[in-house]
Amino acid sequence: MSKDSERDPLIVWENGVKNETAILRVQRPVYQTEELNELTTYEYPSTNISGVFKKNYCLFRPKECFYNTVPILKWLPGYEFKKNFMGDVFSGITVATMHIPHGLAYGILGNLPPIVGIYMGFFPVLIYTIFGTSRHVSIGTFAIVCLMTGKTVLEYSSDEGTAVNYTPIQVATTVTFTVSVIQMIMYLFRLGIITTLLSETLVNALTCASAFHVVTTQFKDLLGLTLPRRNGLFRILYTFYDVGNLISEANVPTVVISLIFVTVIALNNEILKPILARRTKIPFPIELVAIVTGTTISYCMDIHKNYAVNIIGTVPTGLPNPDLPSFSLIPSVLLDSFIIAMVSYTVTMSLALIVAQKQHYEVNSNQELFALSCSNCFGSFFSCMPVTASLSRTMIQQGVGGATQIASTVSCSILLLVLLWIGPLFENLPRCVLASVIVVSLKSMILQFLSLKKYWTLSKWDGTVWIITFFTTIIVDIDYGLLSGVIVSLVSIFVQDQKCYTCVLGVVPNTDLYLDMELYKGAQELPGIKIFHYSGPLNFASRSVFKKNLFKKTGFDPLSLYVKTKLFTKDEVYCRCVILDFTALTYVDPSGVQILKSLDGDYRHVGVDMYICGCSSPVFEKLKKCQMYYGKNGNFTIFPTVHDAVLYSQSVANTTT
């Protein structure tokens, strides 16, 4: 059957003047989808398991697999030495000056010796340079991950004399190894998509609330207090209670030093840093200056002995001896490790995508899982906590001029000097100075609280996810905050899926355009034809909503008419055809196909044809695959467009009359 389409005005611009005299003419047959597929040689996707594996897993292509798994072999041979080397060197030096204070501070945050933070900026980074696909992310310590690891260290490490004999280092390295195993499993099964459950809203609330947890953990060092060890739920509330009880015992010199360093670092970040940013890309290393200054003052005045100010103590030289994690502890730390693995990968991948978009290159999300897994596995043998990309260091590494991971190699070289020779110079560093560095660095995370207004304005569901995640994390614990956020996110998705957009379409006169009649008053309903548009998934959860909306919008329930043993009365709208517009149908499952099959039969009983149109290829394939199992009353009549279905219905009506 052929048709000469309605004449549609085509607006043409000639010499800047609108010309509406041109006419668009289209002449082609009316197609059903199967006819169009045959004409255009449509190739159905292979359902052969080996074919799917060969397509999705490069293990069947050894050379490609090898180069994809070791990305450094791709970019290093083509490294532009003259163009990028100096930028990478300056970037590496700058990032190294940030690694030192961050490492010492966040090592303590994990309830481990400060030197552990320096280890984290050296061993895992070397591995990430080989396997990572991001050219700019700075792998190493990250406050939230160190805090989460520190919580597990407190829970499972023991004081001398207890029955359980796991040291803090053993617990930390076991967590790191378990995280690497989880990330490797996610890599092998292409499960990076799991982290999409951690939406931007959820991560924003979680990191904001976690920043408050980090601040509370620093009270003891900022005030020079000895607080009781708190494990389990409501730790932040207990910490405030303990601080309130012991505030009178605060060490005055420690409080004074904390106030001075917090004020100086904050003033630098708020006033001096923006001024320097307009003149140079290299930031003033205020954290390193603070550590050097604090160490010098402590050494000259011997404030630990004279004023009872706590210092970090012994800092070992040399590289740590490799040691195996405590494998017997893995079942106990498995849940905590899974949460850390999720947060670690989500943060790293988010930063990698942000920088890659700025610099116009691609990062491989699955390869990033492999790189993090290998980095954590290697680090677990050298006293490291789980590593993550740092926002501040990543932005500096990219902003100063770093072009590749050579910058990370330069940074590692400088940290190696610290590990071999310079480390002991920091033995007199007051712990309150490190606490000041941590607290000031968390300002941006704490101010994320202000983003609640944005999320609430844009979406009440996003605002609800943010509020529940934030307050559960603050009041109960980080693990429960993450869990509650994921649950509320899933509930919001389910509820919104039940509120799919539906409407009845009408035709714009003299066109093949079909629009929502409630919104477009110029659209007209075709006599005897109801066109129902559905947007969203059609599955076991939404099928009842789909059916309810279909009957409501089209104005009649075929089954109730059939039960009344009549077709239509004079008061009811005559309808000979119902067209289901599935151009916006995102997914259909067997339950959805079954309800369509049932509807088709109900419509046939009352003399109404049901046509389907606009299916995407996956939806069309699912319909064809499932319909053979549901009834034997014929197949669905499927068209590629609404207009094809309308013309076919009109031709059938003309033929019968």
Side-chain angles (χ1 to χ4, degrees):
M1 183 187 305
S2 64
K3 63 108 178 174
D4 190 352
S5 76
E6 301 290 346
R7 293 181 150 202
D8 306 338
L10 178 66
I11 298 175
V12 179
W13 292 84
E14 298 178 354
N15 299 323
V17 179
K18 185 188 297 185
N19 178 9
E20 298 186 3
T21 61
I23 298 297
L24 174 65
R25 297 178 184 274
V26 179
Q27 185 173 350
R28 66 167 177 80
V30 172
Y31 290 113
Q32 291 191 29
T33 301
E34 288 188 350
E35 296 172 341
L36 183 62
N37 288 348
E38 184 177 353
L39 178 67
T40 55
T41 320
Y42 178 77
E43 181 178 350
Y44 286 86
S46 173
T47 57
N48 183 276
I49 295 179
S50 63
V52 173
F53 268 80
K54 288 180 180 180
K55 180 178 179 180
N56 293 284
Y57 289 84
C58 64
L59 295 174
F60 294 90
R61 306 181 297 276
K63 185 176 180 180
E64 181 183 349
C65 176
F66 181 70
Y67 279 97
N68 287 338
T69 306
V70 191
I72 193 173
L73 298 178
K74 287 184 176 181
W75 61 263
L76 188 58
Y79 181 75
E80 300 181 44
F81 188 88
K82 292 183 179 180
K83 179 181 178 181
N84 297 327
F85 183 71
M86 292 308 298
D88 283 338
V89 169
F90 282 119
S91 177
I93 294 173
T94 305
V95 171
T97 62
M98 297 181 68
H99 260 301
I100 296 171
H102 284 189
L104 295 173
Y106 295 156
I108 292 178
L109 190 60
N111 296 303
L112 298 171
I115 196 64
V116 168
I118 306 297
Y119 296 156
M120 294 169 64
F122 178 72
F123 293 104
V125 175
L126 291 175
I127 302 301
Y128 183 84
T129 300
I130 298 173
F131 296 111
T133 58
S134 175
R135 305 172 192 170
H136 297 93
V137 294
S138 176
I139 296 295
T141 54
F142 181 66
I144 307 305
V145 170
C146 290
L147 174 68
M148 297 172 72
T149 307
K151 180 183 78 73
T152 308
V153 168
L154 273 180
E155 186 174 354
Y156 292 102
S157 63
S158 61
D159 298 325
E160 186 176 356
T162 57
V164 182
N165 198 27
Y166 295 118
T167 65
I169 287 291
Q170 287 177 322
V171 176
T173 55
T174 303
V175 170
T176 306
F177 179 79
T178 309
V179 167
S180 74
V181 172
I182 293 171
Q183 290 174 337
M184 182 59 71
I185 292 173
M186 292 173 67
Y187 163 74
L188 292 175
F189 290 95
R190 302 300 195 263
L191 297 180
I193 194 173
I194 291 178
T195 58
T196 57
L197 294 176
L198 305 184
S199 64
E200 177 192 349
T201 307
L202 191 155
V203 172
N204 184 283
L206 182 72
T207 53
C208 180
S210 299
F212 284 94
H213 275 273
V214 174
V215 171
T216 58
T217 62
Q218 301 308 301
F219 283 164
K220 64 181 186 298
D221 290 330
L222 290 170
L223 303 175
L225 295 173
T226 302
L227 300 179
R229 180 171 174 171
R230 295 288 189 179
N231 294 327
L233 307 182
F234 309 106
R235 288 184 302 113
I236 195 170
L237 301 181
Y238 285 124
T239 300
F240 277 106
Y241 174 79
D242 294 335
V243 171
N245 283 341
L246 300 174
I247 191 65
S248 60
E249 301 177 12
N251 183 280
V252 177
T254 299
V255 174
V256 172
I257 294 172
S258 299
L259 287 174
I260 292 174
F261 277 89
V262 166
T263 303
V264 171
I265 297 172
L267 288 175
N268 170 83
N269 292 345
E270 298 300 321
I271 299 175
L272 181 60
K273 188 175 181 179
I275 296 175
L276 289 177
R278 292 194 292 266
R279 300 183 179 182
T280 177
K281 293 182 178 181
I282 302 177
F284 182 67
I286 184 63
E287 293 91 350
L288 185 61
V289 171
I291 286 178
V292 172
T293 303
T295 303
T296 303
I297 294 174
S298 175
Y299 177 79
C300 295
M301 299 179 62
D302 197 4
I303 60 177
H304 175 59
K305 182 178 180 181
N306 296 329
Y307 301 100
V309 175
N310 293 328
I311 59 176
I312 65 174
T314 304
V315 177
T317 57
L319 301 178
N321 295 323
D323 194 13
L324 292 175
S326 301
F327 297 112
S328 60
L329 185 59
I330 290 179
S332 300
V333 301
L334 186 60
L335 179 59
D336 290 339
S337 300
F338 176 76
I339 296 172
I340 292 172
M342 293 279 286
V343 173
S344 169
Y345 174 67
T346 301
V347 171
T348 301
M349 196 61 212
S350 298
L351 289 176
L353 289 172
I354 289 171
V355 180
Q357 187 176 12
K358 286 182 178 180
Q359 298 296 320
H360 309 292
Y361 66 90
E362 297 283 336
V363 290
N364 186 318
S365 58
N366 214 54
Q367 180 63 24
E368 287 298 299
L369 268 174
F370 181 78
L372 282 176
S373 175
C374 293
S375 299
N376 282 318
C377 183
F378 187 68
S380 68
F381 300 113
F382 292 95
S383 304
C384 291
M385 289 185 285
V387 292
T388 317
S390 163
L391 173 62
S392 57
R393 294 196 306 270
T394 297
M395 294 298 104
I396 292 300
Q397 182 161 320
Q398 179 260 329
V400 172
T404 68
Q405 283 294 335
I406 293 294
S408 296
T409 306
V410 173
S411 175
C412 289
S413 302
I414 296 173
L415 293 181
L416 181 61
L417 298 178
V418 175
L419 291 172
L420 294 179
W421 295 291
I422 303 176
L425 296 178
F426 297 110
E427 290 182 351
N428 289 292
L429 173 63
R431 294 173 70 97
C432 60
V433 174
L434 287 179
S436 301
V437 170
I438 292 174
V439 169
V440 177
S441 68
L442 292 173
K443 177 202 166 188
S444 60
M445 287 189 186
I446 293 174
L447 289 181
Q448 287 175 184
F449 186 85
L450 301 177
S451 62
L452 171 59
K453 180 180 179 181
K454 177 190 73 173
Y455 291 120
W456 186 262
T457 302
L458 296 177
S459 168
K460 295 300 183 288
W461 273 110
D462 276 359
T464 302
V465 170
W466 199 100
I467 291 171
I468 292 177
T469 303
F470 177 83
F471 285 104
T472 306
T473 304
I474 284 283
I475 296 173
V476 185
D477 206 353
I478 296 176
D479 302 352
Y480 288 88
L482 178 60
L483 178 62
S484 65
V486 170
I487 291 175
V488 176
S489 296
L490 293 175
V491 169
S492 71
I493 293 172
F494 177 79
V495 172
Q496 292 177 81
D497 277 349
Q498 305 308 303
K499 296 182 179 180
C500 299
Y501 170 64
T502 59
C503 65
V504 172
L505 302 181
V507 66
V508 178
N510 299 322
T511 73
D512 59 352
L513 301 176
Y514 297 85
L515 305 175
D516 185 346
M517 292 178 59
E518 291 184 3
L519 301 178
Y520 298 88
K521 303 306 180 183
Q524 300 176 1
E525 184 175 1
L526 292 167
I529 299 176
K530 296 286 188 179
I531 307 172
F532 177 73
H533 175 83
Y534 180 80
S535 176
L538 179 54
N539 50 38
F540 69 94
S542 61
R543 60 181 181 176
S544 60
V545 176
F546 168 81
K547 189 174 181 179
K548 178 182 177 181
N549 282 310
L550 173 62
F551 295 161
K552 180 180 178 181
K553 295 290 184 179
T554 56
F556 70 98
D557 179 349
L559 187 58
S560 65
L561 293 176
Y562 178 69
V563 170
K564 294 176 183 178
T565 65
K566 64 174 183 175
L567 186 56
F568 294 99
T569 67
K570 295 180 180 179
D571 298 328
E572 291 171 323
V573 179
Y574 173 73
C575 177
R576 66 171 182 273
C577 174
V578 172
I579 298 174
L580 304 180
D581 177 19
F582 282 167
T583 52
L585 182 68
T586 55
Y587 169 76
V588 63
D589 70 353
S591 296
V593 179
Q594 187 177 25
I595 197 68
L596 292 176
K597 200 68 181 174
S598 175
L599 285 170
D600 189 33
D602 292 343
Y603 282 124
R604 288 178 187 274
H605 280 307
V606 294
V608 177
D609 294 326
M610 188 188 86
Y611 302 147
I612 296 173
C613 64
C615 298
S616 64
S617 295
V619 170
F620 175 76
E621 290 154 10
K622 181 66 71 174
L623 292 175
K624 301 303 291 183
K625 183 177 181 180
C626 292
Q627 67 181 2
M628 67 180 67
Y629 297 102
Y630 298 124
K632 300 180 179 179
N633 298 323
N635 296 331
F636 295 121
T637 306
I638 306 175
F639 296 90
T641 70
V642 175
H643 201 53
D644 283 282
V646 168
L647 293 175
Y648 182 85
S649 175
Q650 291 174 339
S651 69
V652 170
N654 293 334
T655 302
T656 56
T657 56

